Structures are given as structure tokens and as C-alpha cells.
Amino acid sequence: VAGVPAAMDRLFPGREFRQTAFVSHENPQAGPKARMAELFRGRFAALTLALWGMNFTVLLSFYTIASWLPSLLHLGGIDPAQASKLASSFQIGALIGSVSTALALRRLRPGVWLGSVFVLGGLSTWLLTAAVGTPWFVPVTLLSGFCVAGPVVGLQAVAASVYPTYMRGAGVGWAATLSRVGSLTGASMVGVMISGGLAMPDRKSTR
């Protein structure tokens, strides 16, 4: 592959790569950049739709929960300042999840790790409302943040690995765009639901 030996010489000055042969098994196509339409050709169509759906859903879920938790806690009788502190455990879980995902993907197949984390994320998020006001709230919120936000870095790694080189920029870029659309949708959706009284369970009736 032309240009690789020179690049390797710059990266590793103490070694000589001029006589080393670098071979790519990918078939060069369509010039240096791929158009969006190529992401939906042949076997890449299903991969692209799956990646877009996961990126959109994960960021939508993350921003929905992050925006909704303080209001849920306040409704449960916790003052706003304390509610914000408790809700921050979701963000802490997200940070731990991101680091753990980056480390796990070096040892495990992405499908195994991400599939397991998504299942736990759905379960822990379902348990959030039941855990409000109990000693289990912080652990459940940490787990939810770990499992909902942690896979984001994993999805980007998967997007970079499933496309050939000439499609990689378009594939990763569009997947990231869908994740941003999901984040905006999640945050906006919570605002609309709270203002309409749809996002808050009726706890007063149970007291």
C-alpha cells in the first residue's frame, strides 16, 4: 500500500520500513470517499439500519433518563438540590460504563458485550421508578447509567470495524449524526411530556 512505509517511518523513527511490504485485502472502489447511498448497498443496508437504530435509541434513552430523573425524584418528595445530587449517579454510571466498554471490547466480541449490557440496561431502567425512595435507588441508577450510556463508545467502534476503509468515514459519521438526533429528541420529548403531565407517575394517589 503506497504511503504506508513512509508513515510508519515517521511514527517509529528507530525502525526501517522501506523494504517492508504492506498489503490491503480490501478492494479499492468509488474513489477516496463514499456517498451515503453506498451505506445501503448490498449487505451494508442491514448493518447501517441496525447501527443507526442503536445509536439513535441509546442516546435518546440516555438523555430522556438524565432529563427525567430529577423531576421524578422531586415528585417522590426529595428536595430539588438533593434530587440533582442523586440523579448525578446516573452520569457517574455512564462514565464507568464507557471506560468498562472500551476495556471489554479488547477481550470480548462486541455483540456479546453490547447485547448483555443492553438487556441489563432495559431491566435497570424499568426498575428506576420502583427504586425511588429506597436504599436501592443509587445502585440501580448507577447500573442504568452504566448500561445505557456505556455502549456508546462500543457502537462507534463497531461502526468503524464493519465498513471497509473507503466507507468508514461516511459510516461512522452518519451513525454519530443519528446519535445526536436521538439526544435532541430525548431531551425535547421529556420537556413536552412533563409540561403535559404525561411523564410523572401519580404517586399522590398511592399515599
Side-chain angles (χ1 to χ4, degrees), residues 179-204:
S179 69
R180 294 300 102 190
V181 173
S183 67
L184 291 172
T185 303
S188 302
M189 186 172 64
V190 169
V192 171
M193 293 177 69
I194 290 177
S195 63
L198 300 176
M200 297 292 114
D202 186 8
R203 291 180 176 270
K204 293 181 179 179

Side-chain angles (χ1 to χ4, degrees), residues 7 12 49 56 128 131 147 153 171:
F12 303 96
L49 289 174
F56 178 85
L128 273 178
C147 296
V153 293

Side-chain angles (χ1 to χ4, degrees), residues 34-41 44-46 48 52 163 167 170-171 174:
R35 298 179 180 178
M36 186 181 72
E38 294 188 51
L39 301 177
F40 294 94
R41 290 180 182 172
F44 296 111
T48 298
W52 284 19
Y163 295 111
M167 294 175 63
W174 278 105

Side-chain angles (χ1 to χ4, degrees), residues 106-199:
R106 300 178 64 181
R107 299 176 176 271
L108 301 174
R109 293 177 58 187
V112 173
W113 174 260
L114 295 177
S116 302
V117 169
F118 281 142
V119 171
L120 284 174
L123 178 61
S124 59
T125 302
W126 178 72
L127 291 173
L128 273 178
T129 53
V132 173
T134 72
W136 296 100
F137 178 77
V138 171
V140 170
T141 307
L142 282 169
L143 179 61
S144 180
F146 182 101
C147 296
V148 172
V152 173
V153 293
L155 290 176
Q156 299 304 314
V158 170
S161 66
V162 297
Y163 295 111
T165 303
Y166 80 99
M167 294 175 63
R168 196 163 294 153
V172 175
W174 278 105
T177 298
L178 266 291
S179 69
R180 294 300 102 190
V181 173
S183 67
L184 291 172
T185 303
S188 302
M189 186 172 64
V190 169
V192 171
M193 293 177 69
I194 290 177
S195 63
L198 300 176

Side-chain angles (χ1 to χ4, degrees), residues 42-119:
R43 67 185 182 88
F44 296 111
L47 288 171
T48 298
L49 289 174
L51 283 170
W52 284 19
M54 286 188 289
N55 276 275
F56 178 85
T57 303
V58 167
L59 268 293
L60 180 143
S61 301
F62 175 76
Y63 280 91
T64 298
I65 296 169
S67 303
W68 171 64
L69 268 180
S71 298
L72 176 66
L73 290 168
H74 181 54
L75 185 71
I78 300 173
D79 66 87
Q82 184 65 15
S84 296
K85 291 180 181 179
L86 289 173
S88 67
S89 58
F90 182 76
Q91 305 287 349
I92 295 171
L95 175 61
I96 298 172
S98 296
V99 175
S100 299
T101 296
L103 295 174
L105 291 182
R106 300 178 64 181
R107 299 176 176 271
L108 301 174
R109 293 177 58 187
V112 173
W113 174 260
L114 295 177
S116 302
V117 169
F118 281 142
V119 171

